[in-house]
Amino acid sequence: MSLARRQCLLVLLLLGSSAALTADDDLGDIWADFRSFAGKWSGTQSGVWGDGAGIRTFRFFINDSFLEQRTALRFDPQPANPDGDTRLDYGVVSLDRRARQFHFRRYYPGGVFVEYRLKDLDPAMGRFVWVSERVENALPNTTVEYTVMREQPARFTDKVVLLREGQEPRRVIDGRWVRTP
């Protein structure tokens, strides 16, 4: 096969694969169940660091291809956290279109990274259950389950539970969030 013919074939293959990667097939509005989270939320969290308060924001970016989550919480000095601290975390939700599977990658203080997959979604109940597929810089054999419950259009709760082999599940975070203007 001539060089010109191979180049033409390569261009056609690249164009075809690019279209296949960006095609939404019959997915419709893939973010419909997540859209109500976009915006600013204020809330409280209690757990292993004590009781804290802060702000969480969600926004879509890169032409609605991803959902970004940012959280900043302040924990004043208290018995569970004598020095107090500010905890920041960052996350991105994406969709693996080929597998039709949502993933949530979250970055926590201390270099902890958790990659979740959406295990259960019940839009009628407003429940999103994420389970870790990979946890970096945490104890070995740790699975993390992150559950979000929409209680009202402007209110949700979230919880993080650690699951370790041979141990009882341990709830490490309970959060309560309300939409802010």
Side-chain angles (χ1 to χ4, degrees):
M1 182 182 308
S2 73
L3 178 61
R5 199 168 198 187
R6 278 188 268 178
Q7 288 175 335
C8 184
L9 182 60
L10 178 62
V11 167
L12 288 173
L13 284 171
L14 288 174
L15 288 175
S17 63
S18 173
L21 286 174
T22 59
D24 282 343
D25 301 310
D26 58 347
L27 293 176
D29 182 5
I30 60 173
W31 295 107
D33 296 317
F34 296 88
R35 287 202 185 281
S36 62
F37 288 99
K40 186 176 180 181
W41 301 79
S42 61
T44 60
Q45 278 193 342
S46 58
V48 296
W49 301 284
D51 297 321
I55 299 293
R56 178 171 286 170
T57 58
F58 294 92
R59 74 175 183 96
F60 289 94
F61 66 105
I62 308 181
N63 298 324
D64 278 359
S65 298
F66 304 95
L67 176 62
E68 173 190 68
Q69 172 255 301
R70 291 177 182 259
T71 306
L73 289 158
R74 175 70 193 143
F75 292 87
D76 291 326
Q78 54 198 291
N81 189 350
D83 296 329
D85 66 359
T86 299
R87 302 192 70 78
L88 306 174
D89 72 71
Y90 176 80
V92 175
V93 178
S94 64
L95 173 66
D96 178 342
R97 293 174 187 266
R98 187 175 307 208
R100 295 184 181 219
Q101 177 67 61
F102 283 99
H103 293 272
F104 191 9
R105 293 159 182 89
R106 288 189 78 180
Y107 304 85
Y108 296 96
V112 175
F113 166 78
V114 181
E115 182 175 353
Y116 299 95
R117 72 174 164 75
L118 187 59
K119 174 182 164 185
D120 183 34
L121 168 63
D122 185 342
M125 295 290 294
R127 185 179 67 227
F128 300 75
V129 179
W130 302 88
V131 64
S132 63
E133 290 193 322
R134 187 171 65 146
V135 181
E136 292 179 5
N137 299 319
L139 293 174
N141 302 317
T142 298
T143 300
V144 184
E145 189 173 272
Y146 176 60
T147 303
V148 177
M149 290 286 297
R150 286 302 296 260
E151 295 180 336
Q152 299 173 9
R155 179 170 293 171
F156 74 91
T157 62
D158 63 351
K159 68 178 178 178
V160 175
V161 176
L162 296 183
L163 307 162
R164 293 196 184 113
E165 288 181 30
Q167 295 183 11
E168 291 292 317
R170 180 175 170 221
R171 187 179 293 196
V172 295
I173 295 175
D174 273 308
R176 292 152 302 284
W177 300 92
V178 294
R179 184 177 296 283
T180 60

